[in-house]
Amino acid sequence: MGLGRTTGHSQHAVGAKEAGNRVDHGSSGIRVRRVLGAGFAVIAGSFLLLFVPIIVYAFVLAFRARGVPDQAAINHFAAMFSPAVMPWLERVLTPVLAFWVVRRTEQARAVDGLAVGFLAGLLGLGVTLAFGGSLATPSIVSFLILVGLGRLGGLVGKKMSSRS
């Protein structure tokens, strides 16, 4: 039974390669791998960039205390700082990565940028819900802003691609 699955999978992979190496293309032509990578990179990059000031704050506290920093103060700072800064980091990274996705493709299409914004918005909503937020008006507005910024990044990337 395992042999049949392997054989079927191998035939699928060979067929995909024979079709012009279009493995990373969806049925609508959107570059799925790049879009997924960029959407996840928006959220991951936002988290990584968010940690920098928190780590700096922890080092400052440790230096002042000349030892172990106050964990409650670090948690308070992170809880106050993260909700204010995370959406802005997402808003900066979304158009940049949407631009990158569109510029890196042979046939630049602005819809790829829109897909990056849509995915980043959905993942942002997921992060909001995972950390105890709710689907309130600010969350929906943030989602729509990310979709719009992804579209903007895609349009700029397409325009820059057509000039080259």
Side-chain angles (χ1 to χ4, degrees), residues 81-100:
F81 186 71
S82 298
V85 175
M86 183 80 163
W88 290 102
L89 292 172
E90 291 172 355
R91 291 172 189 161
V92 168
L93 291 175
T94 297
V96 169
L97 290 171
F99 173 84
W100 176 79

Side-chain angles (χ1 to χ4, degrees), residues 69-140:
D70 181 13
Q71 189 63 41
I74 296 170
N75 289 341
H76 176 70
F77 176 75
M80 195 175 64
F81 186 71
S82 298
V85 175
M86 183 80 163
W88 290 102
L89 292 172
E90 291 172 355
R91 291 172 189 161
V92 168
L93 291 175
T94 297
V96 169
L97 290 171
F99 173 84
W100 176 79
V101 165
V102 172
R103 286 281 291 166
R104 300 272 304 168
T105 58
E106 291 177 13
Q107 294 179 331
R109 295 178 3 182
V111 72
D112 295 344
L114 179 69
V116 169
F118 184 79
L119 181 60
L122 282 178
L123 291 172
L125 283 175
V127 167
T128 299
L129 294 173
F131 285 103
S134 63
L135 281 178
T137 303
S139 302
I140 303 301

